[in-house]
Amino acid sequence: MGYPYNIDKAVFRCPEAPQDLPTYAMNRRLKDTVAITIDAPAQTVMLFDSIPGKNLAGGRSLVPNPFRHSGGHTTTIGFVDGHVKSVSVEDIPNLLWTPLVKTRSTTSQTEKDESSSNQAFRR
């Protein structure tokens, strides 16, 4: 995971975590979704502070309970648009864990072109 580009394993774990295992997980519901087709990228969870484990992907069930930050009141969430923020226990259910995908009629030609080139790149 990340090697050889990043040789420091510490970037994959929360400094507040008691174990020496990765503590971030990917949102499994993004599998096979192209980022530019997501309708609300600033509200859609991409990765999140999780229970310790290697190569975790899933949803809210992997969020540590209790949270590790602010005395157990917040956790760290990374969103599809690239921003990261501290989220409270109360706000977890309000986040988009299932991406809202744009319909073909609302996708611009530029987005379609970018999507095609991304698919070609992944092959």
Side-chain angles (χ1 to χ4, degrees), residues 115-123:
S115 178
S116 296
S117 80
N118 286 342
Q119 288 174 357
F121 179 72
R122 284 188 269 165
R123 291 183 187 158

Side-chain angles (χ1 to χ4, degrees), residues 61-113:
S61 64
L62 295 177
V63 174
N65 185 7
F67 289 170
R68 286 192 275 270
H69 304 287
S70 303
H73 297 288
T74 65
T75 193
T76 305
I77 305 285
F79 295 87
V80 172
D81 73 344
H83 85 279
V84 176
K85 77 178 194 178
S86 190
V87 176
S88 70
V89 174
E90 298 82 22
D91 289 334
I92 288 289
N94 301 326
L95 302 176
L96 289 177
W97 293 84
T98 302
L100 301 173
V101 179
K102 297 175 187 175
T103 63
R104 286 187 172 263
S105 63
T106 60
T107 304
S108 73
Q109 186 59 46
T110 303
E111 290 170 332
K112 289 177 188 174
D113 292 343

Side-chain angles (χ1 to χ4, degrees), residues 22-33:
T23 56
Y24 298 106
M26 295 293 295
N27 181 353
R28 181 182 302 264
R29 302 237 173 163
L30 294 178
K31 183 180 183 229
D32 299 326
T33 304

Side-chain angles (χ1 to χ4, degrees), residues 5-74:
Y5 304 105
N6 183 352
I7 59 172
D8 187 359
K9 292 180 186 178
V11 301
F12 300 113
R13 91 177 253 296
C14 173
E16 300 293 322
Q19 299 175 8
D20 192 24
L21 285 171
T23 56
Y24 298 106
M26 295 293 295
N27 181 353
R28 181 182 302 264
R29 302 237 173 163
L30 294 178
K31 183 180 183 229
D32 299 326
T33 304
V34 178
I36 62 169
T37 65
I38 295 175
D39 197 31
Q43 290 82 35
T44 305
V45 175
M46 182 171 66
L47 50 109
F48 54 96
D49 202 6
S50 72
I51 60 173
K54 291 185 178 181
N55 300 320
L56 294 179
R60 290 187 280 185
S61 64
L62 295 177
V63 174
N65 185 7
F67 289 170
R68 286 192 275 270
H69 304 287
S70 303
H73 297 288
T74 65

